[in-house]
Amino acid sequence: MGVFLLSSPAFLVFFTFFTFCLLVDPVFGITRHYKFDVKLHNVTRLCHTRSIVSVNGQFPGPRIVAREGDQLLVEVVNHVPNNVSIHWHGIRQLRSGWADGPEYVTQCPIQTGQSYVYNFTIIGQRGTLFWHAHISWLRATLYGPIIILPKRGVPYPFAKPYKEVPIVFGEWFNADPEAVISQALQTGGGPNVSDAYTINGLPGPLYNCSAKDTFKLKVKPGKTYLLRLVNAALNDELFFSIANHTLTVVDVDAVYVKPFETETFLITPGQTTNVILKTKPSYPNATFFMTARPYVTGQGTFDNSTVAGILEYESPPNSLHSSIMLPLFKPILPALNDTSFATKFGSKLRSLASAQYPANVPQKVDKHFFFTVGLGTSPCQHNQTCQGPNGTKFAASVNNVSFAMPTTALLQAHFFGQSNGVYIPDFPSTAMTPFKYTGSPPNNTMVSNGTKVVVLPFNTSVELVMQDTSILGAESHPLHLHGFNFFIVGQGFGNFDPNKDPAKFNLIDPVERNTVGVPSGGWVAIRFLADNPGVWFMHCHLEVHTSWGLKMAWIVLDGELPTQKLLPPPTDLPKC
């Protein structure tokens, strides 16, 4: 009888329906499988062909599409000579730190011929994020968008768009980026800059030999488009604008914001921004440039070029427009060093702070931290000539500690209680030697080195003030915190005043992000709740500064409940 039931059509229909309900449960989502084959393939840009590291032969890499609540299983297979690790930038990785991806922090790299399945669930997030390599400078070509849709039946808090389009900014190097940073670290000087910026991997017509490599956004009149923008560039914050069009910002770093209109916006490496584009009501008899160029605050060299794509309207049926040259309008972008615009744009960002999407800003603070961030120097090795300031090597630090990468993954050492010789839990909670951080620099520009971490009890509410320093010139630093979103409660210029500035903090509807630009010659204050056990990297998302040591790590201890403890490592976790 049992055999009859199992094979009967009625049972199979019921079983299939039951299984389908489990897979598409509106609360828990479904499981989505992806396979990333990391291989070399040839790409030509600017009339230069080189072999790049890519995923599935795509540049940029494949997009990941999921819904809030979905589980993702991404098998990454390494077919290249380089070690590889992938970071799912902005995904909170609740209790799944083994899938976060930064090399020697949460995992050892995936070595040649090996594979690793990143297993994580998207909880309480919807919007745009991105994935990228998190080892050396491989993310120059290893990156792609992550599109997180709301749960089924849950609408956007804005009008449903006619179409959604990912727009990913990047940088193109004619040389191998791995060779670029390797040479810079050996000589102690600044690395060579990129040769072009790109939109979805294409440099556009303002660069030599690139007219055919232009991203074109084809739109219909009278429609609403959701543009999902990602800055995956290695080393440059970017201004972006579309000629003769106004954009409405609705989401940053996969968090809804109070909508506001702007013609231009700023996006730093590591940040994402969703904007609404409403096309003109009728065919405009014109095409429009969409351009991006850098926002520059530092003293070093930079790629002073502009990437352009084209916004193109579909011509009406039976029209002669398609056969004639249409006028091309160009946007006017802010000056390269327009810190005033950057500040005003940032001040417009506010959390939605609605009943459905509250801004859960920590109102009380358990632990206060004050971190200085900036550039410094380290000594030149004996019998070597270095190209840094006064014959030294460039270095970067947080509270004058330039982070030394371990050779054992920090999370593994923490989880198994084997920290001895791997890291020291004594990262300074405040600047060791206070000085006028944005005034005249001190005579001693040398940094210290160490693998130091901050240890936090579970559910600690943290306030962190990050202060830019002018030791080698004031500079904006986009700081990214893994494992958490945080609220930007205040920012200003000059030195942070702990007696006066906190009174002006916004604790009602501050913007919630995972990456924030520390203002050039100023400070920013963030708050977050340490409710995610594990080891969490924090670093500048200008890759050159990370290479120089502008990074550190937080360890959040397990809570008392089973649901507050880090899960054990997967069996296929890469070995060092």
Side-chain angles (χ1 to χ4, degrees):
M1 187 70 177
V3 174
F4 173 77
L5 277 175
L6 283 172
S7 59
S8 69
F11 179 82
L12 287 175
V13 169
F14 169 78
F15 179 78
T16 303
F17 176 76
F18 177 73
T19 305
F20 178 78
C21 289
L22 286 177
L23 289 174
V24 294
D25 187 292
V27 177
F28 298 106
I30 66 173
T31 300
R32 297 177 187 259
H33 296 263
Y34 287 86
K35 186 175 182 184
F36 278 16
D37 282 307
V38 180
K39 295 182 176 180
L40 294 170
H41 89 280
N42 288 341
V43 170
T44 302
R45 297 288 185 270
L46 313 180
C47 282
H48 283 258
T49 300
R50 67 178 180 87
S51 181
I52 70 166
V53 180
S54 62
V55 167
N56 300 348
Q58 298 177 42
F59 174 66
R63 70 183 66 170
I64 282 183
V65 180
R67 289 191 181 274
E68 178 188 350
D70 285 353
Q71 179 189 24
L72 285 169
L73 296 173
V74 187
E75 181 186 6
V76 177
V77 186
N78 183 8
H79 302 278
V80 300
N82 315 70
N83 287 342
V84 169
S85 71
I86 303 291
H87 171 50
W88 317 94
H89 183 109
I91 299 288
R92 285 210 54 200
Q93 299 291 0
L94 290 165
R95 300 173 62 220
S96 58
W98 306 104
D100 193 41
E103 84 286 5
Y104 298 114
V105 178
T106 59
Q107 67 168 91
C108 299
I110 306 168
Q111 298 177 37
T112 306
Q114 295 184 349
S115 65
Y116 179 46
V117 177
Y118 290 90
N119 180 354
F120 56 93
T121 300
I122 300 170
I123 300 171
Q125 295 179 281
R126 75 295 299 169
T128 305
L129 296 171
F130 71 117
W131 60 265
H132 61 78
H134 212 302
I135 183 168
S136 191
W137 279 25
L138 284 185
R139 75 176 180 89
T141 55
L142 275 179
Y143 62 85
I146 301 175
I147 295 168
I148 308 172
L149 303 171
K151 293 180 180 178
R152 289 194 180 277
V154 178
Y156 293 127
F158 46 84
K160 184 179 179 180
Y162 169 72
K163 195 174 181 181
E164 303 186 5
V165 183
I167 294 181
V168 185
F169 303 106
E171 284 180 275
W172 172 261
F173 291 77
N174 286 334
D176 178 4
E178 292 297 281
V180 169
I181 185 56
S182 177
Q183 180 186 30
L185 294 177
Q186 286 175 5
T187 64
N192 293 335
V193 301
S194 56
D195 294 282
Y197 300 107
T198 57
I199 296 176
N200 291 348
L202 301 171
L206 302 183
Y207 293 103
N208 177 50
C209 189
S210 298
K212 70 181 191 323
D213 294 325
T214 300
F215 172 71
K216 293 184 178 180
L217 176 58
K218 297 186 177 182
V219 298
K220 294 181 178 181
K223 299 291 185 181
T224 299
Y225 293 79
L226 180 67
L227 307 184
R228 297 175 171 270
L229 300 125
V230 176
N231 187 349
L234 280 184
N235 292 311
D236 288 280
E237 304 179 70
L238 296 170
F239 293 120
F240 175 75
S241 183
I242 302 177
N244 294 25
H245 287 75
T246 299
L247 304 169
T248 303
V249 179
V250 293
D251 180 305
V252 296
D253 292 1
V255 181
Y256 295 133
V257 296
K258 290 183 173 72
F260 67 93
E261 291 187 348
T262 184
E263 292 181 357
T264 305
F265 65 84
L266 175 68
I267 184 167
T268 79
Q271 289 184 341
T272 62
T273 305
N274 282 4
V275 298
I276 295 290
L277 166 69
K278 290 185 177 178
T279 57
K280 298 183 181 300
S282 58
Y283 184 74
N285 282 323
T287 55
F288 306 89
F289 260 160
M290 51 175 78
T291 60
R293 76 174 182 197
Y295 164 53
V296 182
T297 56
Q299 306 295 314
T301 56
F302 62 95
D303 181 353
N304 184 12
S305 65
T306 302
V307 60
I310 295 177
L311 180 69
E312 204 171 75
Y313 279 74
E314 288 187 18
S315 57
N318 305 319
S319 167
L320 299 176
H321 294 293
S322 59
S323 61
I324 61 173
M325 288 292 292
L326 297 173
L328 176 63
F329 291 93
K330 301 178 181 180
I332 299 174
L333 291 171
L336 292 167
N337 61 350
D338 196 341
T339 294
S340 174
F341 176 91
T343 305
K344 289 176 183 175
F345 178 79
S347 68
K348 293 177 184 176
L349 293 166
R350 291 280 189 272
S351 285
L352 208 50
S354 64
Q356 189 174 4
Y357 302 106
N360 295 318
V361 190
Q363 298 296 308
K364 69 174 185 68
V365 175
D366 298 322
K367 294 213 172 184
H368 293 264
F369 294 89
F370 180 82
F371 287 178
T372 56
V373 296
L375 304 187
T377 58
S378 61
C380 193
Q381 292 163 340
H382 189 57
N383 294 329
Q384 183 184 357
T385 302
C386 291
Q387 297 175 0
N390 301 315
T392 62
K393 285 189 168 188
F394 273 112
S397 67
V398 181
N399 275 353
N400 208 48
V401 179
S402 187
F403 191 81
M405 292 299 289
T407 54
T408 299
L410 297 179
L411 183 57
Q412 188 176 336
H414 162 65
F415 185 84
F416 292 107
Q418 299 170 343
S419 63
N420 192 26
V422 180
Y423 64 83
I424 305 172
D426 66 347
F427 190 91
S429 61
T430 190
M432 302 298 286
T433 309
F435 65 97
K436 203 167 184 179
Y437 306 109
T438 55
S440 299
N443 293 327
N444 183 8
T445 62
M446 293 290 178
V447 302
S448 64
N449 290 275
T451 310
K452 297 173 179 283
V453 303
V454 172
V455 178
L456 296 171
F458 184 81
N459 254 7
T460 301
S461 57
V462 173
E463 180 178 287
L464 168 61
V465 175
M466 292 181 282
Q467 171 77 58
D468 181 37
T469 64
S470 57
I471 293 174
L472 291 183
E475 187 167 358
S476 175
H477 298 278
L479 264 291
H480 171 50
L481 175 61
H482 291 227
F484 301 93
N485 282 349
F486 51 76
F487 293 94
I488 303 172
V489 296
Q491 62 179 7
F493 291 100
N495 289 354
F496 174 73
D497 187 334
N499 298 314
K500 295 180 180 178
D501 288 325
K504 297 177 280 188
F505 284 178
N506 175 10
L507 303 179
I508 306 300
D509 64 347
V511 68
E512 183 180 348
R513 305 205 75 145
N514 63 59
T515 304
V516 59
V518 179
S520 176
W523 56 270
V524 65
I526 66 173
R527 288 187 180 184
F528 66 94
L529 184 65
D531 59 353
N532 192 7
V535 179
W536 304 109
F537 208 27
M538 190 176 83
H539 60 96
C540 185
H541 226 272
L542 301 179
E543 205 63 37
V544 60
H545 292 173
T546 295
S547 299
W548 286 339
L550 210 166
K551 48 196 174 186
M552 54 83 63
W554 306 80
I555 292 182
V556 178
L557 302 176
D558 283 349
E560 295 181 359
L561 301 176
T563 55
Q564 299 171 341
K565 298 182 187 297
L566 178 67
L567 296 171
T571 56
D572 64 337
L573 185 71
K575 306 290 190 296
C576 288

